[in-house]
């Protein structure tokens, strides 16, 4: 009876399976555009993409870090009229490289291009990049400002010098023949990206150097020269902290396997905090003639605040706290680090009592305190945003 009952239901399910599967294949090419405050550029970029890619199956994915100028809204308005346009809006996050990675992970396209929103990259290269990947046995085509036909455009001398310096620094990470490892304009084969993506550092501005350094096998590449254009609207987000990000990227590629690069940055800032501590202490104690205990307390407060502010600016740049959240962050940082100081003291005191040498006791205390401070503040002060 039971068998009969189940048999009687079977045909329906089979029928379901036989129903024709609708065929809406995904695009062949996905163009990833990281955006931050590019409200006035996105429509023009889309217009130019339509012009240079009149045929073929492509999509454009804008990855916006919740720009205050309403870029994401603008992109969604464009998407409402053209289903090839998509928007990923990341809230409480910053970072060009990580935005590109998330965009690339969100698509099934065989070829993935990355291009800036500000019209500085020559989008007319895209069809040639696509053709090269289709025809040749290469993994990636890079738009280069230094290859034949390329130029920096109207970059000022300082920026050009910085770029050349960064290029030289990156030689440890990328093949020597790559003329423009700092380029933000390229197209990569999906498999090559997928092979690298779990090893990427995704720090800062330089996703291309990261891709080359993270690939388990040497990427086969080709370069196409292009002239770097002038920004049309909005302004550059490249600032002096981008140099710090870049140093962190290089460091992460060199030692990140053994030690989290954020912890190294956190410890470097902590070491600077000691300098601040002694400076404040000397002024309060020797110049202003406060009592030692009061001077030491003021120095602790200043050093902790300094550490919090600098870590917020650099170490946790991608999760930077502002306004009221800065204050809340400062409070949790002070609390967490006070506990860290207690642990430091407790461990050092007990090691010292157990007849260990005082420098060793102090060092163990500092190490445990630093690890606690790092883990506790990563989870609380700079933890995931809560609305
Ligand atoms: N999603 C995202 N995009 C960013 C961020 N910083 C810059 N961008 C975008 O990355 C591209 C290059 O940035 P830009 O400021 O023009 O750098 P420059 O060309 O080196 O001066 C532009 O499309 C920016 O809008 C960021 O933190 N998040
Ligand atoms: Mg730009």
């Amino acid at each position: 009876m039971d068998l009969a009952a189940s048999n009687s239901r079977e045909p329906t399910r089979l029928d379901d399976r036989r129903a024709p599967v609708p065929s809406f294949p995904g695009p062949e090419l996905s163009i990833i555009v990281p955006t931050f405050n590019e409200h006035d550029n996105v429509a023009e970029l889309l217009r130019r993409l339509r012009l240079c890619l009149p045929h073929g199956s492509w999509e454009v994915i804008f990855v916006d870090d919740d720009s205050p100028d309403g870029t994401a809204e603008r992109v969604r308005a464009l998407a409402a009229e053209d289903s090839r346009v998509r928007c990923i809006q990341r809230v409480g996050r910053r970072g060009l490289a990580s935005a590109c990675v998330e965009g690339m992970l969100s698509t099934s396209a065989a070829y993935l291009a990355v291009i800036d929103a500000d019209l500085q990259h020559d989008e007319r290269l895209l069809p040639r990049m696509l053709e090269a990947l289709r025809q040749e046995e290469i993994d990636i085509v890079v738009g280069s400002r230094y290859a034949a036909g390329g130029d920096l455009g109207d970059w000022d001398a300082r920026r050009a010098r910085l770029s050349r310096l960064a290029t030289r620094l990156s030689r440890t990470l990328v093949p020597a023949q790559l003329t423009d490892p700092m380029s933000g304009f390229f197209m990569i084969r999906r498999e090559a990206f997928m092979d690298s993506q779990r090893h990427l550092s995704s720090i800062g501005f330089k996703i291309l150097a990261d891709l080359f350094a993270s690939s388990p096998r040497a990427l086969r590449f080709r370069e196409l020269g292009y002239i770097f254009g002038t920004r049309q609207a909005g302004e550059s987000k490249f600032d002096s902290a981008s140099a710090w990000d870049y140093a962190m990227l290089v460091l992460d590629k060199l030692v990140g396997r053994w030690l989290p690069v954020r912890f190294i940055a956190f410890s470097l800032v902590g070491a600077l905090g000691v300098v601040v501590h002694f400076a404040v202490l000397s002024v309060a104690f020797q110049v202003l003639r406060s009592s030692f205990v009061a001077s030491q307390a003021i120095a602790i407060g200043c050093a902790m605040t300094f550490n919090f502010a600098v870590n917020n600016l650099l170490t946790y740049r991608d999760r930077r706290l502002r306004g009221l959240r800065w204050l809340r962050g400062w409070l949790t940082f002070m609390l967490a680090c006070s506990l860290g100081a207690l642990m430091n003291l407790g461990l050092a005191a007990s090691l010292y009592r157990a007849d260990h040498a005082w420098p060793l006791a102090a060092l163990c205390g500092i190490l445990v305190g630093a690890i606690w401070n790092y883990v506790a503040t990563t989870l609380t002060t700079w933890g995931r945003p809560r609305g």
Side-chain angles (χ1 to χ4, degrees):
M1 268 311 273
D2 270 6
L3 196 65
S6 75
N7 275 346
S8 73
R9 279 199 297 271
E10 196 61 18
T12 336
R13 267 193 247 140
L14 273 179
D15 282 353
D16 283 352
R17 259 180 261 155
R18 275 192 212 118
V21 179
S23 173
F24 301 113
E28 180 190 24
L29 167 66
S30 187
I31 302 157
I32 316 295
V33 190
T35 59
F36 192 75
N37 285 344
E38 304 287 2
H39 181 278
D40 297 335
N41 285 323
V42 287
E44 175 60 17
L45 177 66
L46 181 61
R47 190 187 70 80
R48 293 188 187 189
L49 289 178
R50 284 182 186 135
L51 278 179
C52 74
L53 294 163
H55 317 291
S57 89
W58 55 272
E59 66 178 346
V60 51
I61 304 173
F62 291 90
V63 189
D64 184 64
D65 284 352
D66 207 17
S67 303
D69 75 348
T71 306
E73 259 324 299
R74 184 85 192 88
V75 171
R76 276 190 288 266
L78 296 169
E81 289 163 3
D82 187 338
S83 60
R84 294 173 300 182
V85 179
R86 294 208 281 132
C87 174
I88 297 177
Q89 183 174 358
R90 307 195 305 168
V91 178
R93 313 263 304 279
R94 272 303 296 276
L96 200 165
S98 63
C100 294
V101 171
E102 278 171 50
M104 291 196 264
L105 285 173
S106 77
T107 174
S108 64
Y111 305 110
L112 312 166
V114 172
I115 186 169
D116 284 1
D118 53 12
L119 315 170
Q120 294 192 279
H121 295 159
D122 188 349
E123 73 290 338
R124 289 169 303 177
L125 232 56
L126 288 169
R128 284 173 57 203
M129 288 175 157
L130 184 60
E131 224 24 60
L133 282 181
R134 276 187 192 142
Q135 307 288 337
E136 297 170 36
E137 297 225 323
I138 49 176
D139 300 303
I140 184 165
V141 188
V142 179
S144 166
R145 297 160 291 187
Y146 300 112
D151 196 86
L152 281 181
D154 63 359
W155 258 14
D156 62 58
R158 188 183 142 267
R159 184 87 198 260
R161 246 198 332 271
L162 258 177
S163 176
R164 275 195 209 99
L165 179 71
T167 303
R168 229 171 294 142
L169 246 179
S170 72
R171 285 291 160 228
T172 47
L173 307 181
V174 301
Q177 304 88 330
L178 190 65
T179 60
D180 196 0
M182 300 294 113
S183 173
F185 183 27
F186 59 88
M187 192 184 290
I188 187 169
R189 208 177 277 284
R190 147 170 224 84
E191 305 87 70
F193 166 70
M194 292 313 277
D195 288 348
S196 313
Q197 61 89 5
R198 285 189 190 278
H199 312 291
L200 289 169
S201 306
S202 300
I203 301 172
F205 255 57
K206 300 303 171 194
I207 173 78
L208 184 68
D210 197 358
L211 273 170
F212 270 88
S214 307
S215 174
R217 58 191 167 79
L219 288 179
R220 298 162 301 175
F221 67 95
R222 189 169 144 199
E223 290 188 308
L224 295 176
Y226 79 99
I227 298 173
F228 200 72
T230 311
R231 188 178 249 285
Q232 303 286 309
E235 49 192 56
S236 169
K237 281 100 220 167
F238 183 91
D239 55 17
S240 36
S242 305
W244 164 273
D245 279 345
Y246 182 63
M248 287 298 119
L249 171 64
V250 176
L251 202 62
D252 190 46
K253 282 282 148 307
L254 296 176
V255 299
R257 222 168 306 159
W258 304 287
L259 209 58
V261 71
R262 259 197 231 268
F263 180 63
I264 300 177
F266 192 86
S267 307
L268 282 177
V269 175
L272 268 183
V274 175
V275 178
V276 170
H277 184 110
F278 274 96
V280 174
L281 181 66
S282 334
V283 172
F285 187 51
Q286 292 186 315
V287 182
L288 302 176
R289 305 249 166 241
S290 308
S291 73
F292 177 74
V293 175
S295 307
Q296 176 76 348
I298 294 168
I300 290 174
C302 289
M304 276 191 185
T305 304
F306 169 86
N307 278 13
F308 167 68
V310 178
N311 276 317
N312 191 48
L313 274 179
L314 296 176
T315 318
Y316 295 92
R317 189 163 133 74
D318 54 337
R319 308 182 200 166
R320 189 179 298 172
L321 307 169
R322 292 165 205 271
L324 260 185
R325 292 172 69 203
W326 191 96
L327 270 183
R328 194 168 62 187
W330 176 78
L331 210 67
T332 56
F333 187 88
M334 298 298 259
L335 278 174
C337 294
S338 306
L339 273 177
L342 280 181
M343 285 183 193
N344 174 343
L345 191 66
L347 181 71
S350 64
L351 284 177
Y352 181 66
R353 270 198 303 272
D355 255 4
H356 286 85
W358 66 265
L360 184 73
L363 210 66
C364 290
I366 290 172
L367 196 66
V368 166
I371 293 173
W372 160 267
N373 288 350
Y374 171 68
V375 174
T377 60
T378 300
L379 294 177
T380 57
T381 313
W382 291 284
R384 288 277 145 248
R386 292 157 296 269

